[in-house]
Coordinates of all heavy atoms in Angstrom, one line a residue:
K406 N 0.8 -1.2 0.0 CA 0.0 0.0 0.0 C 0.8 1.3 0.1 O 0.6 2.2 -0.7 CB -0.9 0.0 1.3 CG -2.1 -1.0 1.1 CD -2.9 -0.9 2.4 CE -4.1 -1.9 2.3 NZ -5.0 -1.8 3.5
V407 N 2.0 1.3 0.8 CA 2.9 2.4 0.8 C 3.4 2.7 -0.5 O 3.5 3.9 -0.9 CB 4.0 2.3 2.0 CG1 4.9 3.4 1.9 CG2 3.2 2.1 3.3
F408 N 3.9 1.6 -1.2 CA 4.5 1.9 -2.5 C 3.5 2.4 -3.5 O 3.8 3.3 -4.3 CB 5.1 0.6 -3.0 CG 6.5 0.2 -2.4 CD1 6.5 -0.6 -1.4 CD2 7.6 0.8 -3.0 CE1 7.8 -0.9 -0.8 CE2 8.8 0.5 -2.3 CZ 8.9 -0.4 -1.3
A409 N 2.3 1.8 -3.4 CA 1.2 2.3 -4.4 C 0.9 3.8 -4.2 O 0.8 4.4 -5.1 CB 0.0 1.4 -4.2
F410 N 0.8 4.1 -2.9 CA 0.6 5.5 -2.6 C 1.6 6.4 -3.1 O 1.3 7.4 -3.8 CB 0.4 5.7 -1.0 CG 0.3 7.2 -0.7 CD1 -0.9 7.8 -0.8 CD2 1.4 7.8 -0.1 CE1 -1.0 9.2 -0.4 CE2 1.3 9.2 0.2 CZ 0.1 9.9 0.2
W411 N 2.9 6.2 -2.8 CA 4.0 7.1 -3.1 C 4.3 7.1 -4.6 O 4.6 8.1 -5.3 CB 5.2 6.8 -2.4 CG 5.2 7.3 -1.0 CD1 5.0 6.6 0.2 CD2 5.1 8.7 -0.6 NE1 4.9 7.4 1.2 CE2 5.0 8.7 0.9 CE3 5.3 9.9 -1.2 CZ2 4.9 9.9 1.5 CZ3 5.2 11.1 -0.4 CH2 5.0 11.0 0.9
N412 N 4.1 5.9 -5.3 CA 4.4 5.8 -6.7 C 3.3 6.4 -7.6 O 3.5 6.5 -8.8 CB 4.7 4.3 -7.1 CG 6.0 3.9 -6.5 OD1 6.9 4.7 -6.2 ND2 6.2 2.6 -6.4
T413 N 2.1 6.7 -7.0 CA 1.1 7.3 -7.9 C 0.8 8.8 -7.5 O -0.1 9.4 -8.1 CB -0.2 6.5 -7.7 OG1 -0.6 6.5 -6.3 CG2 -0.1 5.1 -8.1
R414 N 1.6 9.3 -6.7 CA 1.4 10.7 -6.3 C 1.8 11.6 -7.4 O 2.7 11.4 -8.3 CB 2.2 11.1 -5.1 CG 1.6 10.5 -3.8 CD 2.3 11.0 -2.6 NE 2.5 12.4 -2.5 CZ 1.8 13.2 -1.7 NH1 0.9 12.7 -0.9 NH2 2.0 14.5 -1.7
A415 N 1.3 12.8 -7.5 CA 1.7 13.9 -8.5 C 1.7 15.2 -7.8 O 1.1 15.4 -6.8 CB 0.7 13.9 -9.6
D416 N 2.5 16.1 -8.3 CA 2.7 17.5 -7.7 C 1.4 18.3 -8.1 O 0.5 17.8 -8.8 CB 4.0 18.1 -8.0 CG 4.2 18.3 -9.5 OD1 3.1 18.4 -10.2 OD2 5.3 18.6 -9.9
K417 N 1.5 19.6 -7.7 CA 0.4 20.5 -8.0 C 0.1 20.7 -9.5 O -0.9 21.1 -9.9 CB 0.5 21.8 -7.3 CG 0.4 21.6 -5.8 CD 0.6 22.9 -5.1 CE 0.5 22.8 -3.6 NZ 0.7 24.1 -2.9
Q418 N 1.2 20.6 -10.3 CA 1.1 20.7 -11.7 C 0.7 19.4 -12.5 O 0.6 19.4 -13.6 CB 2.4 21.2 -12.2 CG 2.7 22.6 -12.0 CD 3.3 22.8 -10.6 OE1 3.9 21.9 -9.9 NE2 3.0 23.9 -9.9
G419 N 0.6 18.4 -11.7 CA 0.1 17.1 -12.2 C 1.3 16.1 -12.7 O 1.0 15.2 -13.3
V420 N 2.4 16.6 -12.5 CA 3.7 15.8 -12.8 C 3.8 14.7 -11.8 O 3.8 14.9 -10.5 CB 4.8 16.7 -12.9 CG1 6.1 15.9 -13.2 CG2 4.7 17.8 -13.8
S421 N 4.0 13.4 -12.3 CA 4.1 12.3 -11.6 C 5.5 12.4 -10.7 O 6.5 12.8 -11.2 CB 4.1 11.0 -12.3 OG 2.9 10.8 -12.9
A422 N 5.4 11.9 -9.5 CA 6.5 11.9 -8.6 C 7.4 10.7 -9.1 O 6.9 9.7 -9.7 CB 6.2 11.7 -7.2
R423 N 8.8 10.8 -8.7 CA 9.7 9.7 -9.1 C 9.3 8.5 -8.2 O 8.9 8.7 -7.0 CB 11.1 10.1 -8.8 CG 11.6 11.0 -9.7 CD 13.1 11.3 -9.5 NE 13.8 10.4 -8.6 CZ 14.9 10.9 -7.9 NH1 15.3 12.0 -8.0 NH2 15.5 10.0 -7.2
P424 N 9.3 7.3 -8.8 CA 8.9 6.1 -7.9 C 10.0 5.9 -6.9 O 11.1 6.3 -7.0 CB 8.9 5.0 -9.0 CG 9.7 5.4 -10.1 CD 9.6 6.9 -10.1
I425 N 9.7 5.2 -5.9 CA 10.6 4.7 -4.8 C 11.7 3.9 -5.5 O 11.4 2.9 -6.2 CB 9.9 3.9 -3.7 CG1 8.9 4.9 -3.1 CG2 10.9 3.4 -2.7 CD1 8.1 4.2 -2.0
E426 N 12.9 4.2 -5.4 CA 14.1 3.6 -6.0 C 14.8 2.7 -5.0 O 15.5 1.7 -5.5 CB 15.1 4.6 -6.6 CG 14.4 5.4 -7.7 CD 15.3 6.5 -8.2 OE1 16.4 6.7 -7.6 OE2 14.9 7.3 -9.1
R427 N 14.8 3.0 -3.8 CA 15.7 2.2 -2.7 C 15.0 2.4 -1.4 O 14.6 3.5 -1.1 CB 17.0 2.7 -2.8 CG 18.0 1.9 -2.0 CD 19.4 2.2 -2.3 NE 19.6 3.6 -1.9 CZ 20.9 4.1 -1.5 NH1 21.8 3.3 -1.4 NH2 21.1 5.4 -1.3
V428 N 15.1 1.4 -0.5 CA 14.6 1.5 0.9 C 15.9 1.5 1.7 O 16.6 0.6 1.6 CB 13.7 0.4 1.1 CG1 13.3 0.4 2.6 CG2 12.4 0.4 0.2
L429 N 15.9 2.5 2.6 CA 17.1 2.5 3.5 C 16.5 2.2 4.9 O 15.5 2.7 5.5 CB 17.7 3.9 3.6 CG 18.3 4.3 2.3 CD1 18.9 5.7 2.5 CD2 19.5 3.4 2.0
L430 N 17.1 1.2 5.6 CA 16.6 0.6 6.9 C 17.5 1.3 8.0 O 18.8 1.4 7.8 CB 16.8 -0.8 6.8 CG 16.0 -1.6 5.8 CD1 16.3 -3.0 5.8 CD2 14.5 -1.3 6.0
C431 N 17.0 1.6 9.1 CA 17.7 2.2 10.2 C 17.1 1.6 11.5 O 16.0 1.1 11.5 CB 17.8 3.6 10.2 SG 16.2 4.5 10.4
G432 N 17.8 1.8 12.6 CA 17.4 1.3 14.0 C 18.2 0.1 14.4 O 18.9 -0.6 13.6
A433 N 18.0 -0.2 15.6 CA 18.8 -1.3 16.2 C 18.4 -2.7 15.6 O 19.3 -3.6 15.5 CB 18.6 -1.4 17.7
A434 N 17.2 -2.8 15.2 CA 16.7 -4.2 14.7 C 17.3 -4.5 13.3 O 17.3 -5.7 13.0 CB 15.2 -4.2 14.7
V435 N 17.8 -3.6 12.6 CA 18.3 -3.9 11.3 C 19.6 -4.7 11.3 O 19.9 -5.3 10.2 CB 18.5 -2.7 10.4 CG1 17.1 -2.0 10.2 CG2 19.6 -1.8 10.9
T436 N 20.2 -4.9 12.4 CA 21.4 -5.8 12.5 C 20.9 -7.3 12.6 O 21.8 -8.2 12.5 CB 22.2 -5.5 13.7 OG1 21.4 -5.5 14.8 CG2 22.8 -4.0 13.5
N437 N 19.7 -7.5 12.8 CA 19.1 -8.8 12.8 C 18.7 -9.3 11.4 O 17.7 -8.8 10.8 CB 17.8 -8.9 13.7 CG 17.2 -10.2 13.8 OD1 17.3 -11.0 13.0 ND2 16.4 -10.4 14.9
A438 N 19.5 -10.1 10.8 CA 19.4 -10.4 9.3 C 18.0 -11.2 9.0 O 17.5 -10.9 8.0 CB 20.6 -11.3 8.9
S439 N 17.6 -12.0 10.0 CA 16.4 -12.8 9.6 C 15.1 -11.8 9.8 O 14.2 -11.9 9.0 CB 16.2 -13.9 10.7 OG 16.1 -13.4 11.9
M440 N 15.2 -10.8 10.6 CA 14.1 -9.8 10.7 C 14.0 -9.0 9.4 O 13.0 -8.7 8.9 CB 14.3 -8.9 11.9 CG 13.1 -8.0 12.2 SD 12.9 -6.5 11.2 CE 14.4 -5.6 11.5
V441 N 15.2 -8.5 9.0 CA 15.3 -7.7 7.7 C 14.9 -8.6 6.5 O 14.1 -8.2 5.7 CB 16.8 -7.2 7.5 CG1 16.9 -6.6 6.1 CG2 17.1 -6.2 8.5
A442 N 15.2 -9.9 6.5 CA 14.9 -10.8 5.5 C 13.3 -10.9 5.4 O 12.6 -10.9 4.4 CB 15.5 -12.1 5.5
D443 N 12.7 -11.1 6.6 CA 11.3 -11.2 6.6 C 10.6 -10.0 6.2 O 9.6 -10.0 5.5 CB 10.8 -11.6 8.2 CG 11.1 -13.0 8.4 OD1 11.4 -13.8 7.5 OD2 11.2 -13.3 9.7
L444 N 11.0 -8.8 6.7 CA 10.4 -7.6 6.4 C 10.5 -7.2 4.9 O 9.6 -6.7 4.4 CB 11.2 -6.5 7.3 CG 10.7 -5.0 7.1 CD1 9.3 -4.8 7.6 CD2 11.6 -4.0 7.8
M445 N 11.5 -7.5 4.4 CA 11.9 -7.0 2.9 C 11.6 -8.2 1.9 O 11.8 -8.0 0.8 CB 13.2 -6.6 2.9 CG 13.6 -5.4 3.7 SD 12.5 -4.0 3.7 CE 12.7 -3.4 2.0
S446 N 10.9 -9.3 2.4 CA 10.8 -10.5 1.5 C 10.0 -10.2 0.3 O 10.2 -10.7 -0.8 CB 10.3 -11.6 2.3 OG 9.0 -11.3 2.8
E447 N 9.0 -9.3 0.4 CA 8.1 -9.0 -0.7 C 8.5 -7.7 -1.4 O 7.7 -7.1 -2.2 CB 6.7 -9.1 -0.3 CG 6.3 -10.4 0.1 CD 4.8 -10.5 0.5 OE1 4.0 -9.7 0.1 OE2 4.5 -11.5 1.4
C448 N 9.5 -7.0 -1.0 CA 9.8 -5.7 -1.5 C 10.5 -5.8 -2.8 O 11.3 -6.7 -3.1 CB 10.9 -5.0 -0.5 SG 11.3 -3.3 -1.0
V449 N 10.0 -5.1 -3.8 CA 10.4 -5.2 -5.2 C 11.5 -4.2 -5.5 O 12.1 -4.1 -6.7 CB 9.3 -4.9 -6.1 CG1 8.3 -6.0 -5.9 CG2 8.6 -3.5 -5.9
V450 N 11.9 -3.3 -4.5 CA 13.0 -2.4 -4.8 C 14.3 -2.8 -3.9 O 14.1 -3.5 -2.9 CB 12.6 -0.9 -4.5 CG1 11.6 -0.4 -5.5 CG2 12.2 -0.7 -3.1
P451 N 15.4 -2.4 -4.4 CA 16.6 -2.8 -3.5 C 16.6 -2.0 -2.1 O 15.9 -1.0 -1.9 CB 17.9 -2.2 -4.3 CG 17.3 -1.9 -5.7 CD 15.7 -1.7 -5.5
H452 N 17.2 -2.7 -1.2 CA 17.2 -2.1 0.2 C 18.6 -2.3 0.8 O 19.4 -3.1 0.3 CB 16.1 -2.8 1.1 CG 16.4 -4.3 1.4 ND1 16.0 -5.2 0.4 CD2 17.0 -5.0 2.4 CE1 16.3 -6.4 0.9 NE2 17.0 -6.3 2.0
G453 N 18.9 -1.5 1.8 CA 20.2 -1.6 2.5 C 20.2 -0.8 3.8 O 19.2 -0.2 4.1
L454 N 21.3 -0.9 4.5 CA 21.4 -0.1 5.7 C 21.7 1.4 5.4 O 22.5 1.6 4.5 CB 22.4 -0.7 6.6 CG 22.3 -2.1 7.1 CD1 23.5 -2.5 8.0 CD2 21.0 -2.2 7.9
A455 N 21.0 2.2 6.2 CA 21.4 3.6 6.0 C 22.7 4.0 6.5 O 23.1 3.3 7.5 CB 20.3 4.4 6.7
D456 N 23.4 4.9 5.9 CA 24.8 5.4 6.4 C 24.5 6.6 7.2 O 24.1 7.7 6.7 CB 25.6 5.7 5.3 CG 27.0 6.2 5.7 OD1 27.2 6.4 7.0 OD2 27.8 6.5 4.9
A457 N 24.6 6.5 8.6 CA 24.2 7.6 9.5 C 25.0 8.8 9.2 O 24.5 9.9 9.6 CB 24.5 7.1 11.0
W458 N 26.2 8.7 8.7 CA 27.1 9.9 8.6 C 27.3 10.4 7.1 O 28.1 11.2 6.8 CB 28.4 9.6 9.2 CG 28.3 9.0 10.6 CD1 28.8 7.8 11.0 CD2 27.7 9.6 11.6 NE1 28.5 7.6 12.3 CE2 27.8 8.7 12.8 CE3 27.0 10.8 11.9 CZ2 27.3 9.0 14.0 CZ3 26.4 11.0 13.2 CH2 26.5 10.1 14.2
A459 N 26.6 9.9 6.2 CA 26.6 10.2 4.8 C 26.6 11.6 4.5 O 27.3 12.2 3.6 CB 25.6 9.4 4.0
N460 N 25.8 12.4 5.1 CA 25.5 13.8 4.9 C 26.0 14.7 5.9 O 25.7 15.9 5.9 CB 24.0 14.1 4.7 CG 23.5 13.3 3.4 OD1 24.2 13.3 2.4 ND2 22.4 12.7 3.6
F461 N 27.0 14.3 6.7 CA 27.5 15.2 7.8 C 28.9 15.6 7.3 O 29.8 14.7 7.1 CB 27.6 14.5 9.1 CG 26.3 14.5 9.8 CD1 25.4 13.4 9.5 CD2 25.9 15.4 10.8 CE1 24.1 13.5 10.2 CE2 24.8 15.3 11.5 CZ 23.8 14.3 11.2
A462 N 29.3 16.8 7.2 CA 30.6 17.2 6.8 C 31.6 16.8 7.9 O 32.8 16.6 7.6 CB 30.6 18.8 6.5
S463 N 31.3 17.0 9.2 CA 32.2 16.8 10.3 C 32.2 15.4 10.8 O 32.9 15.2 11.7 CB 32.0 17.8 11.3 OG 30.6 17.7 11.9
A464 N 31.3 14.6 10.5 CA 31.1 13.3 11.1 C 32.1 12.3 10.7 O 32.8 12.4 9.6 CB 29.8 12.8 10.7
P465 N 32.4 11.3 11.4 CA 31.9 11.2 12.9 C 32.9 11.8 13.9 O 32.6 11.6 15.1 CB 31.8 9.7 13.0 CG 32.9 9.1 12.1 CD 33.0 10.1 10.9
S466 N 33.8 12.6 13.5 CA 34.9 13.1 14.4 C 34.3 14.0 15.5 O 34.8 14.1 16.6 CB 36.0 13.8 13.7 OG 35.4 14.9 13.0
Q467 N 33.2 14.8 15.2 CA 32.6 15.7 16.2 C 31.3 15.3 16.8 O 30.6 16.0 17.3 CB 32.4 17.0 15.6 CG 33.8 17.7 15.0 CD 33.6 19.0 14.4 OE1 32.4 19.5 14.1 NE2 34.6 19.7 13.9
V468 N 31.1 13.9 16.7 CA 29.9 13.4 17.3 C 30.1 12.8 18.5 O 31.1 12.1 18.9 CB 29.3 12.2 16.2 CG1 28.2 11.6 16.8 CG2 29.0 12.9 14.9
P469 N 29.2 13.0 19.6 CA 29.4 12.3 20.9 C 29.6 10.8 20.8 O 29.1 10.2 20.0 CB 28.1 12.6 21.6 CG 27.5 13.8 20.9 CD 27.9 13.8 19.5
S470 N 30.5 10.3 21.6 CA 31.0 9.0 21.4 C 29.8 8.0 21.6 O 29.7 6.9 21.0 CB 32.1 8.6 22.5 OG 31.7 8.8 23.8
E471 N 28.8 8.3 22.6 CA 27.7 7.3 22.7 C 26.9 7.2 21.5 O 26.2 6.2 21.2 CB 26.9 7.7 24.0 CG 26.2 9.0 23.9 CD 27.1 10.2 24.4 OE1 28.2 9.9 24.8 OE2 26.6 11.3 24.4
V472 N 26.7 8.2 20.7 CA 25.9 8.2 19.5 C 26.8 7.5 18.4 O 26.3 6.8 17.6 CB 25.6 9.6 19.0 CG1 24.9 9.7 17.7 CG2 24.7 10.2 20.0
N473 N 28.0 7.8 18.4 CA 28.9 7.3 17.3 C 29.1 5.8 17.5 O 29.4 5.0 16.4 CB 30.4 8.0 17.3 CG 31.1 7.8 16.0 OD1 30.5 7.5 15.0 ND2 32.4 8.0 16.1
K474 N 29.0 5.2 18.6 CA 29.1 3.8 18.8 C 28.1 2.9 18.1 O 28.4 1.9 17.5 CB 29.1 3.4 20.3 CG 30.3 3.8 21.0 CD 30.2 3.5 22.5 CE 31.3 4.1 23.3 NZ 31.2 3.8 24.8
E475 N 26.8 3.4 18.1 CA 25.7 2.7 17.5 C 24.8 3.7 16.8 O 23.7 4.0 17.1 CB 24.9 1.9 18.5 CG 25.7 0.9 19.3 CD 25.0 0.1 20.2 OE1 23.7 -0.1 19.9 OE2 25.5 -0.3 21.3
P476 N 25.3 4.3 15.6 CA 24.6 5.2 15.0 C 23.2 4.9 14.4 O 22.3 5.7 14.3 CB 25.5 5.7 13.9 CG 26.4 4.5 13.6 CD 26.6 3.9 14.9
L477 N 23.1 3.6 14.1 CA 21.7 3.2 13.5 C 20.7 3.3 14.6 O 19.5 3.5 14.2 CB 21.9 1.7 13.0 CG 22.6 1.5 11.8 CD1 22.8 -0.1 11.5 CD2 22.0 2.2 10.6
D478 N 21.0 3.2 15.8 CA 20.0 3.5 16.9 C 19.5 4.8 16.9 O 18.3 5.1 17.3 CB 20.6 3.1 18.3 CG 20.8 1.6 18.5 OD1 20.4 0.8 17.6 OD2 21.6 1.2 19.4
Y479 N 20.3 5.8 16.5 CA 20.0 7.2 16.6 C 19.7 7.8 15.3 O 19.4 9.1 15.3 CB 21.2 7.9 17.2 CG 21.6 7.5 18.7 CD1 22.5 6.6 18.8 CD2 20.9 8.1 19.7 CE1 22.7 6.2 20.2 CE2 21.2 7.8 21.0 CZ 22.2 6.8 21.3 OH 22.4 6.5 22.5
L480 N 19.7 7.1 14.2 CA 19.5 7.6 12.9 C 18.2 8.4 12.7 O 18.2 9.6 12.1 CB 19.6 6.6 11.8 CG 19.8 7.1 10.4 CD1 21.0 8.1 10.3 CD2 20.0 5.9 9.4
A481 N 17.1 7.9 13.2 CA 15.9 8.6 13.0 C 15.9 10.0 13.8 O 15.4 11.0 13.3 CB 14.7 7.7 13.4
A482 N 16.4 10.0 15.0 CA 16.5 11.2 15.7 C 17.4 12.2 15.1 O 17.2 13.3 15.1 CB 16.9 10.9 17.2
I483 N 18.5 11.7 14.5 CA 19.5 12.6 13.9 C 18.8 13.2 12.7 O 18.9 14.5 12.5 CB 20.8 11.8 13.5 CG1 21.6 11.3 14.7 CG2 21.6 12.6 12.5 CD1 22.7 10.3 14.3
G484 N 18.1 12.4 11.9 CA 17.4 13.0 10.7 C 16.3 13.9 11.2 O 16.1 15.0 10.4
A485 N 15.6 13.7 12.2 CA 14.6 14.6 12.6 C 15.1 15.9 13.1 O 14.5 17.0 13.1 CB 13.7 14.0 13.7
A486 N 16.3 16.0 13.7 CA 17.0 17.1 14.1 C 17.6 18.0 13.1 O 17.9 19.2 13.3 CB 18.1 16.8 15.1
L487 N 17.8 17.5 11.8 CA 18.4 18.2 10.8 C 17.4 19.3 10.2 O 16.2 19.0 10.2 CB 18.9 17.3 9.6 CG 20.0 16.4 10.0 CD1 20.3 15.6 8.8 CD2 21.2 17.3 10.4
P488 N 17.8 20.5 9.8 CA 17.0 21.5 9.4 C 16.5 21.1 7.9 O 17.0 20.4 7.2 CB 17.8 22.7 9.3 CG 19.3 22.3 9.4 CD 19.2 20.9 10.0

């Protein structure tokens, strides 16, 4: 349902949005390979682990050590805090 919703959306001018090209997984549970396999078993697009530091110019050198140890646990909060 989620793929159908996003893949059929159009902007205000009626131009179709780009379809979902890749699914990025984050959170502590994504290190559990069997859970990821079950979750993504019917997914038709490629998936992978999100890189917590991909868009940070100073990362991970200026990140608090408790966050840097397990960045996938904090990825949603980090993303929500970005402007």
Side-chain angles (χ1 to χ4, degrees):
K406 288 182 179 181
V407 173
F408 282 98
F410 172 78
W411 285 108
N412 288 342
T413 58
R414 289 185 50 105
D416 65 15
K417 292 180 181 180
Q418 289 77 31
V420 177
S421 296
R423 288 184 12 205
I425 297 172
E426 298 173 358
R427 186 170 59 150
V428 175
L429 297 175
L430 304 170
C431 66
V435 299
T436 57
N437 180 336
S439 63
M440 190 278 306
V441 171
D443 289 344
L444 178 67
M445 303 307 293
S446 64
E447 296 181 25
C448 185
V449 296
V450 297
H452 64 278
L454 294 179
D456 180 357
W458 309 122
N460 295 317
F461 282 84
S463 61
S466 63
Q467 296 178 357
V468 176
S470 61
E471 61 273 2
V472 174
N473 200 19
K474 288 179 187 173
E475 299 185 34
L477 288 173
D478 292 349
Y479 295 93
L480 193 55
I483 292 168
L487 294 175

